[in-house]
Amino acid sequence: MPEPLLSLEGVHTHIGRYHILHGVDLVVPEGELTVLLGRNGAGKTTTLRTIMGLWRASAGTIRFAGQDITAAVTPDIARLGIAYVPEAMGIFTGLTVRENLVLATTAGRFDAARLDAVFALFPVLKTKWHDAAGGLSGGQKQMLAISRAIVEARRLIVVDEPTKGLAPAVIEHLIGGFRMLKESRTTILLVEQNFHMARSLGDGVAVMDDGRVVHAGRMADLAADEALQSRLLGLSLASHQ
Amino acid sequence: MKRDIAPWLVVPIVALVTLPLMSFPTWVTLTVAGAAMGMMIFLMASGLTLVFGLMDVMNFAHGAFITLGAFIAVSVLGRLAGWTGADSIGLNLLALMVAVLAGAIAAGAVGAVFERVIVRRVYHSHLQQILITMGGLIVAAQLVIVVWGAQPLQVPKPVALRGSFLLGGAAIESYRLAAVGLGVVLYAVIHTVLNRTRIGLLVRAGVENREMVEALGFRIQLLFVGVFVAGAALAGVGGVMWGVYQEIVTASIGDEMTVLIFIVIIIGGLGSITGCFQAAVLVGLTTNYVGYLTPKLALGSNIALMVLVLLWRPRGLFPVAKQ
C-alpha cells in the first residue's frame, strides 16, 4: 500500500491546560477527498490546526509527503504545499478580492490558466475583482477562501466546514466546485457537518469523538450502513439528504 | 461595498467650522501651524500604530526613539553649524535632511536591538509589554543623559527655517511649512509602500489576521521586525523635526509626547496609517483652534476630542478589521 500523503499517528494536542486531542490517528491518501466527521467539540478543527502548526502537537507524529512536520512552523508547513481554509475563512476584509488571491501566490503574480480555472469555478469573483472582500456575501467569501487555496497548485487542501451558515443554493455551488477539484485529483481533507455534502463528495471518511478518531474507512461503506451511522453519528445520513 | 466617507470629512469640517470664528489670516496661520504639528505627530506615531496593529504589541518605549532623534539633531546640526548658519537655503535644508537621515538610522538601529532583546520576549502578554517597555523608556532616558548630559541642549535651527513670512496677511512659520512638506512626502511614501508593494500588502493583511498570513506561507516575525525598525526610524525622524521645532531638547522630550501619540493612534483606529495621519492632523488643528478661541480649554482639548470620537466610533475613525 502506498504511503498516504498525510498521516497522523497518536497525535495529542493541549491548548493551555485543556487536553483536546487524545491520540488522533488519521490517513489522507493522495488524490482523494477525505471527510472528517464528528459532533461539535469532537476535535476536528483542532486536528486541522495542529496539522497546520497553528497549535503544537504535544505528542505523536504528523507526516506529510514522507516528511515529519510535527515540529515545523506554520509558514514552512504551508510552503510544503498545504493550503488551509479555516472555519472563519480567514478573508482579509480590508483587501480587495484580487489582493486576497495574489497573497496566495508564491511569486506575487497569477498563472493565467489557473486563474481562468478559478473564475470557471466561481465566476462571481471575476465581477468583484477590485471590490473589498469585506463587502462580499458569506457565500462569496467562502468561494474566495477556497479560491485562495487553489489559485496555485497545492499538494493538499485542508478545509474546515465550508458550508457553515451558507444558503442551500450556495452549498450546491460549493459542492460543484469541490467536484471539479476532485476531478483534477486534488487531495483534500474536508471537515464537514453537512452530511449531504460529505456523502456526495467523500472518498474516505474518518469520524471523531472526544478528541480521537473512532472510525475510519470508505465513505460508501458508511453511507450504506445506517446502523453504523446511527452508532457513530447518532443519526442516519439518509435523513440529511 | 459602500465607501465610508464620514471619517474623511472630520478634518475639513473642523477646519471650516472654525473659519467664521476668527479672521481669515489668523485662521490660515493657525491651520498651517496645526497641520505642521499634526505632521510631526504623525511621524512619531505612525510606527507605533503599525506595530500594535500587526503584533498587538504596546510599546510604551516608543518615546525613547523620539528622544534619540531629537538628540541626534542636537549633535548633527551642532557639527554642521557651517551649513545651518550659511546664507543658503540649499545648505540649510541639506543640514536638516542629514539630521533627519541620521535620526532615522540611529533610531532604526536602536529599534532593531530593542525588538530583539526586549520586545520579542513578551509578544503574548500585554501586561509584560507595558511593564518592560516602560522600564525600557526609563533606561533609555538615563542612557541619553549619560551620553548627552542632564542639561537641556539647544538645537541650532537652520537660518532659512527661522522666523515667518507673510502670505496674504497670514504669518506662516518657515519651519512649519517644511514640516508639512516632509510629513506629506513621508505619508505618501508610507501609503505607496503599503498599497503598491507586496511587502505593504503583507503588512496590511498581517494587521487584519496574522495567523492567516502565516498559513499562506509567510513568516510574520520577519515582517514585524521590519515594521518595528521602520516605525522606530520614523519616530526618530519625528524626534529630529520636533526637537528642531522646540529648539531646546531634554531627556524627557519623547516621554512628553507619549500620551499625545497614544491619543492619536486611538482616535485614528489602532493599526491604521490613514487613520493615524487624519487623527494627527485633527489633533494638531484642534489644539491650535481651541488654544486660540478658548485658551482655558486647551489643556483638555485632546482628551475631549478622543472621547467625542470614541463615542461616535468606538474603534476610532478608521477601524481596522481584526480577526
Side-chain angles (χ1 to χ4, degrees):
Chain A
M1 189 175 159
E3 188 178 4
L5 184 62
L6 175 76
S7 66
L8 284 76
E9 288 173 28
V11 170
H12 289 252
T13 300
H14 289 76
I15 301 173
R17 58 195 171 92
Y18 298 103
H19 191 175
I20 309 294
L21 299 186
H22 299 266
V24 171
D25 296 308
L26 176 71
V27 292
V28 178
E30 186 146 26
E32 289 196 358
L33 191 151
T34 303
V35 181
L36 198 54
L37 293 172
R39 60 176 174 77
N40 282 339
K44 305 182 298 295
T45 294
T46 304
T47 301
L48 298 198
R49 289 179 63 84
T50 305
I51 292 168
M52 291 306 299
L54 294 166
W55 282 327
R56 190 70 42 214
S58 44
T61 307
I62 306 171
R63 298 183 71 79
F64 176 72
Q67 189 174 336
D68 187 344
I69 61 167
T70 317
V73 294
T74 303
D76 291 346
I77 293 169
R79 277 194 224 122
L80 288 173
I82 305 181
Y84 174 54
V85 182
E87 189 177 345
M89 295 181 266
I91 294 298
F92 304 112
T93 54
L95 273 52
T96 64
V97 168
R98 181 193 166 279
E99 288 172 331
N100 267 276
L101 286 175
V102 85
L103 269 181
T105 61
T106 38
R109 54 182 173 272
F110 297 109
D111 175 276
R114 196 90 193 169
L115 193 58
D116 285 344
V118 168
F119 289 150
L121 270 178
F122 306 120
V124 68
L125 296 182
K126 194 170 187 177
T127 61
K128 303 273 184 183
W129 193 234
H130 293 294
D131 291 3
L136 300 180
S137 69
Q140 290 166 348
K141 280 182 185 156
Q142 192 60 264
M143 292 172 199
L144 177 57
I146 294 167
S147 300
R148 203 167 51 187
I150 61 173
V151 75
E152 278 200 352
R154 312 278 183 201
R155 299 197 67 183
L156 172 67
I157 300 174
V158 176
V159 191
D160 197 354
E161 292 208 48
T163 61
K164 195 173 184 182
L166 299 185
V170 180
I171 292 174
E172 285 305 320
H173 195 86
L174 284 180
I175 290 174
F178 277 108
R179 282 219 175 89
M180 287 174 75
L181 289 176
K182 273 190 69 171
E183 284 164 14
S184 65
R185 301 284 294 158
T186 304
T187 309
I188 299 169
L189 174 59
L190 174 69
V191 164
E192 187 51 68
Q193 296 218 34
N194 180 309
F195 295 116
H196 166 55
M197 181 164 176
R199 191 173 81 156
S200 65
L201 290 173
D203 299 306
V205 61
V207 182
M208 289 191 74
D209 192 27
D210 202 20
R212 47 177 72 83
V213 172
V214 294
H215 170 83
R218 307 307 294 170
M219 177 57 88
D221 297 336
L222 180 62
D225 190 339
E226 288 199 16
L228 186 61
Q229 292 167 33
S230 183
R231 183 168 66 80
L232 292 173
L233 305 167
L235 32 79
S236 158
L237 294 187
S239 65
H240 283 76
Q241 287 180 36
Chain B
M1 190 165 56
K2 206 172 161 187
R3 187 164 179 170
D4 183 9
I5 60 163
W8 294 91
L9 298 176
V10 174
V11 168
I13 287 173
V14 167
L16 290 175
V17 162
T18 53
L19 181 54
L21 305 175
M22 59 189 84
S23 70
F24 184 69
T26 303
W27 181 83
V28 171
T29 301
L30 291 175
T31 302
V32 172
M37 186 180 167
M39 294 301 163
M40 287 184 273
I41 297 170
F42 165 69
L43 292 174
M44 292 184 256
S46 53
L48 191 62
T49 199
L50 276 182
V51 164
F52 183 79
L54 195 63
M55 294 300 274
D56 272 354
V57 168
M58 266 298 169
N59 178 19
F60 280 81
H62 195 72
F65 306 129
I66 296 168
T67 304
L68 180 61
F71 276 91
I72 290 288
V74 171
S75 296
V76 171
L77 293 177
R79 280 176 176 73
L80 296 176
W83 290 7
T84 56
D87 192 19
S88 158
I89 294 177
L91 277 179
N92 289 172
L93 288 177
L94 191 60
L96 184 63
M97 287 303 109
V98 170
V100 162
L101 197 63
I105 292 170
V110 171
V113 174
F114 192 78
E115 191 280 333
R116 182 71 187 85
V117 175
I118 294 179
V119 177
R120 194 173 294 184
R121 296 164 195 270
V122 293
Y123 273 159
H124 304 293
S125 168
H126 278 153
L127 180 61
Q128 288 181 11
Q129 285 164 17
I130 292 168
L131 292 173
I132 202 164
T133 58
M134 288 289 270
L137 183 63
I138 294 166
V139 171
Q142 297 307 308
L143 287 175
V144 163
I145 290 172
V146 168
V147 176
W148 280 280
Q151 297 302 316
L153 295 176
Q154 195 164 10
V155 188
K157 189 184 276 185
V159 173
L161 299 176
R162 294 174 196 163
S164 312
F165 61 91
L166 283 175
L167 185 72
I172 308 289
E173 267 189 62
S174 307
Y175 185 75
R176 290 180 195 257
L177 206 60
V180 170
L182 182 66
V184 168
V185 166
L186 285 178
Y187 172 67
V189 169
I190 296 169
H191 193 269
T192 303
V193 168
L194 284 176
N195 290 284
R196 296 271 181 266
T197 69
R198 188 158 170 84
I199 293 280
L201 189 58
L202 281 168
V203 171
R204 285 191 292 142
V207 166
E208 264 199 53
N209 188 341
R210 60 176 180 267
E211 186 176 280
M212 198 61 221
V213 170
E214 294 215 300
L216 289 171
F218 300 99
R219 287 180 182 270
I220 200 97
Q221 175 66 42
L222 291 175
L223 201 60
F224 175 67
V225 173
V227 168
F228 196 93
V229 170
L234 281 168
V237 172
V240 170
M241 295 302 288
W242 189 245
V244 175
Y245 173 64
Q246 296 285 351
E247 298 192 53
I248 299 280
V249 301
T250 66
S252 62
I253 189 169
D255 313 13
E256 289 159 7
M257 296 305 290
T258 301
V259 172
L260 192 59
I261 286 169
F262 272 95
I263 288 174
V264 163
I265 66 172
I266 290 168
I267 289 176
L270 290 165
S272 167
I273 277 292
T274 298
C276 181
F277 184 78
Q278 295 275 338
V281 175
L282 183 63
V283 164
L285 291 179
T286 308
T287 304
N288 274 12
Y289 294 147
V290 174
Y292 176 78
L293 294 168
T294 52
K296 284 182 180 173
L297 295 180
L299 208 58
S301 66
N302 294 323
I303 297 286
L305 180 66
M306 181 172 70
V307 170
L308 286 173
V309 168
L310 294 184
L311 282 172
W312 175 40
R313 289 182 168 239
R315 292 171 58 229
L317 291 175
F318 294 83
V320 172
K322 294 279 281 182
Q323 295 169 42

